[in-house]
Amino acid sequence: MSDFMIDGQIYSSDVLTEHSRSLMLALRFAEQEIWDINRRVGVAQTARNTYVLVLNKLLPKPLSDSSDEQGVLTFGTKKYLRSELSEEANKHLEAILETDKLLAQLQDDYAIAETARAIYGRDFKASVSTLH
């Protein structure tokens, strides 16, 4: 097989037990998931930023009073009547809200993958400590 590094320590997969190999594979899988989630967060954040830029250009004149009545959208520091938004502006607003949901889900997925990585890493180190 080959050598690999975990947290700065080099291990030879030739001397690993079956259990250690399975932990190593699980650890690599968790690290790949973390990489993939980070990539997806970058894509989602880029999309969200674009939706915000476009929506800013489509917003009507802001309200002059700062009422908190129903049907008022607060965007940044300004308030707008939701009924005055164009169809296109509403689509971009919905896209922002959906992207925010996706980003929240990705944060949860990241936390799970990080937890798994930590546990697999801990268990892997314990399993190879008997080999040294």
Side-chain angles (χ1 to χ4, degrees):
M1 291 198 137
S2 63
D3 292 347
F4 61 97
M5 184 181 302
I6 297 178
D7 294 338
Q9 177 71 38
I10 297 176
Y11 300 93
S12 173
S13 57
D14 293 334
V15 298
L16 296 180
T17 65
E18 193 61 38
H19 178 67
S20 294
R21 278 193 196 105
S22 68
L23 289 169
M24 175 191 65
L25 292 174
L27 181 58
R28 285 182 174 171
F29 178 79
E31 288 173 342
Q32 182 62 41
E33 284 293 299
I34 291 167
W35 182 87
D36 186 54
I37 291 166
N38 282 330
R39 181 188 55 79
R40 292 173 60 207
V41 165
V43 169
Q45 192 61 55
T46 298
R48 185 186 191 287
N49 292 344
T50 302
Y51 296 138
V52 168
L53 287 172
V54 172
L55 180 58
N56 268 320
K57 294 177 183 177
L58 297 171
L59 289 171
K61 183 179 176 186
L63 295 174
S64 55
D65 70 26
S66 60
S67 63
D68 285 329
E69 62 190 73
Q70 191 172 8
V72 173
L73 166 70
T74 301
F75 192 73
T77 60
K78 297 177 182 169
K79 295 184 183 238
Y80 305 88
L81 279 177
R82 182 83 190 252
S83 60
E84 290 183 5
L85 295 182
S86 68
E87 186 178 331
E88 186 179 0
N90 272 309
K91 286 181 182 179
H92 284 281
L93 179 59
E94 290 303 317
I96 291 167
L97 296 173
E98 286 301 313
T99 305
D100 285 347
K101 288 179 192 175
L102 173 61
L103 287 165
Q105 181 60 55
L106 289 170
Q107 287 175 339
D108 290 345
D109 294 348
Y110 184 87
I112 291 167
E114 273 290 321
T115 301
R117 190 232 180 268
I119 303 254
Y120 293 141
R122 180 200 64 201
D123 291 352
F124 175 80
K125 288 177 186 175
S127 75
V128 296
S129 68
T130 60
L131 301 175
H132 291 277

